[in-house]
Amino acid sequence: MLARIFNISIIKPSTVIVLILIFPLIFVSASYGIRLTKVRHLFDISYNFSQPSDVAVSDNGLIYVVDGVNDKIKVFDHSGTYLYSFGRKGSGRGEFDFPMGIGIDNSGNIYIADSGNGRVQIFKPDGGFTAEIKIPSNNGMFSDPTDVSVDESRGVLYVVDNNNHCIFVYDLKTLKKINSIGSPGTEKLEFRYPFLMTLDDEKYLYVVDVINTRVQVINPEGLFVEFIGGWGVEKGEFFRPKGIAIDGKKRSYVSDSYMGVIQVFDEHGAFYSAIGDAEGKAVKKFKTPTGLFIDRNNRLYVVEMFGEKISVYKIEEDEEAVGAATEHNN
């Protein structure tokens, strides 16, 4: 489980130790020339989670949390009060085997990447099952869907296949596969264990490419646009990127699960800031941040996987902070 979340098995222990020692000296305060985007803590959501992985918020303000080890989707109101849950361990309709990612369309329908069962399940807003998409094996490698993104304007559903290092494209009406993007590797449109993803207002797809330690941006036609980030421990670099959300100014927020920070990049993919505390004095540290979400009220939701909680913040709207959000992690 730990190796899957961090993908650290291919890194020498000595390298990990060195990076752990170096990193705090770099991301420690604004005095090192790191611009900070201030966030104000609103509340935490903790409800018997066991390694939650992703979060999404519907247009009417319901907060959906993927509680992976518990094989449930838990639903909360706008203030974080528990409402209900759906799902249980299994392979039948409405059952899960370690779900990982979530997407919500404009009608409130819920799409879950049911990774252990090799499928995507689709639910009504109240959690009622409606359909499933089986993600096929490829060259003998079992599928491992870890996230979904819904583009209703083009009528497509994107599905990350972590094991097969690609993105599948499905027709939303027929639920049939119409395309695939990417292959294993390190070049453009090549991936090594892609994990979570999101869409911006223009329906450009942002895919967290974990072992390649970067985000790839892909246009609606499936063409490569740019890389964001790269390997390292300096600002603008990643050790284990996992989650991503886009704000209303097309700034990308990327979580680094191993280093425990969230970095912000401008619309051209250049480093803009790191998430800082409310006083703007230090880089804010999180406990294994994975899935991210920015809602229409400019609230940042952070899944802290091993913290067993969802942390909710208001992004401060001043000259140094990021502007109001209009797009969320579909």
Side-chain angles (χ1 to χ4, degrees), residues 226-292:
E226 64 184 1
F227 292 126
I228 297 174
W231 165 258
V233 295
E234 298 283 354
K235 61 184 181 182
E237 298 174 338
F238 305 122
F239 187 70
R240 280 296 174 268
K242 283 297 169 67
I244 184 164
I246 311 296
D247 73 9
K249 293 187 177 180
K250 290 190 68 174
R251 290 177 181 148
S252 308
Y253 293 60
V254 184
S255 62
D256 192 317
S257 65
Y258 201 86
M259 292 305 181
V261 299
I262 298 171
Q263 297 187 64
V264 184
F265 297 80
D266 68 20
E267 62 178 314
H268 305 295
F271 175 82
Y272 176 77
S273 67
I275 294 297
D277 57 27
E279 292 75 32
K281 295 181 179 179
V283 173
K284 189 165 184 60
K285 296 299 292 291
F286 303 87
K287 190 171 183 179
T288 324
T290 51
L292 302 177

Side-chain angles (χ1 to χ4, degrees), residues 56-298:
V57 182
S58 65
D59 286 347
N60 62 354
L62 294 183
I63 303 167
Y64 293 81
V65 179
V66 181
D67 191 7
V69 174
N70 285 325
D71 298 299
K72 290 183 179 295
I73 308 302
K74 294 179 177 176
V75 188
F76 304 82
D77 69 13
H78 186 70
S79 63
T81 300
Y82 174 77
L83 298 176
Y84 59 91
S85 67
F86 58 93
R88 63 182 181 181
K89 180 73 172 180
S91 58
R93 291 183 172 184
E95 297 177 337
F96 301 112
D97 184 10
F98 199 48
M100 295 294 294
I102 183 171
I104 302 177
D105 66 22
N106 293 331
S107 298
N109 298 306
I110 305 153
Y111 301 72
I112 303 296
D114 185 8
S115 64
N117 285 318
R119 64 185 178 182
V120 172
Q121 294 197 68
I122 306 171
F123 300 86
K124 297 176 183 178
D126 63 359
F129 173 88
T130 61
E132 71 172 7
I133 303 172
K134 292 293 292 184
I135 311 302
S137 301
N138 186 35
N139 295 324
M141 181 68 71
F142 288 114
S143 64
D144 181 19
T146 55
D147 202 15
V148 293
S149 284
V150 186
D151 181 356
E152 291 185 90
S153 66
R154 298 178 60 248
V156 298
L157 173 71
Y158 296 99
V159 181
V160 171
D161 188 338
N162 184 263
N163 271 356
N164 288 296
H165 314 286
C166 64
I167 312 299
F168 290 124
V169 187
Y170 285 82
D171 184 282
L172 273 177
K173 291 183 178 180
T174 66
L175 302 184
K176 301 295 184 181
K177 189 177 78 171
I178 56 177
N179 195 14
S180 65
I181 302 171
S183 59
T186 60
E187 302 301 320
K188 296 176 181 179
L189 294 180
E190 293 181 344
F191 302 96
R192 290 197 296 164
Y193 299 99
F195 190 54
L196 297 178
M197 62 184 172
T198 193
L199 291 162
D200 67 16
D201 280 338
E202 298 178 347
K203 306 309 177 184
Y204 281 60
L205 187 67
Y206 295 66
V207 182
V208 181
D209 189 5
V210 176
I211 297 300
N212 284 328
T213 59
R214 64 194 182 192
V215 173
Q216 290 204 54
V217 184
I218 302 166
N219 73 11
E221 287 70 46
L223 301 177
F224 173 83
V225 176
E226 64 184 1
F227 292 126
I228 297 174
W231 165 258
V233 295
E234 298 283 354
K235 61 184 181 182
E237 298 174 338
F238 305 122
F239 187 70
R240 280 296 174 268
K242 283 297 169 67
I244 184 164
I246 311 296
D247 73 9
K249 293 187 177 180
K250 290 190 68 174
R251 290 177 181 148
S252 308
Y253 293 60
V254 184
S255 62
D256 192 317
S257 65
Y258 201 86
M259 292 305 181
V261 299
I262 298 171
Q263 297 187 64
V264 184
F265 297 80
D266 68 20
E267 62 178 314
H268 305 295
F271 175 82
Y272 176 77
S273 67
I275 294 297
D277 57 27
E279 292 75 32
K281 295 181 179 179
V283 173
K284 189 165 184 60
K285 296 299 292 291
F286 303 87
K287 190 171 183 179
T288 324
T290 51
L292 302 177
F293 193 96
I294 299 173
D295 71 13
R296 299 182 185 279
N297 296 310
N298 214 26

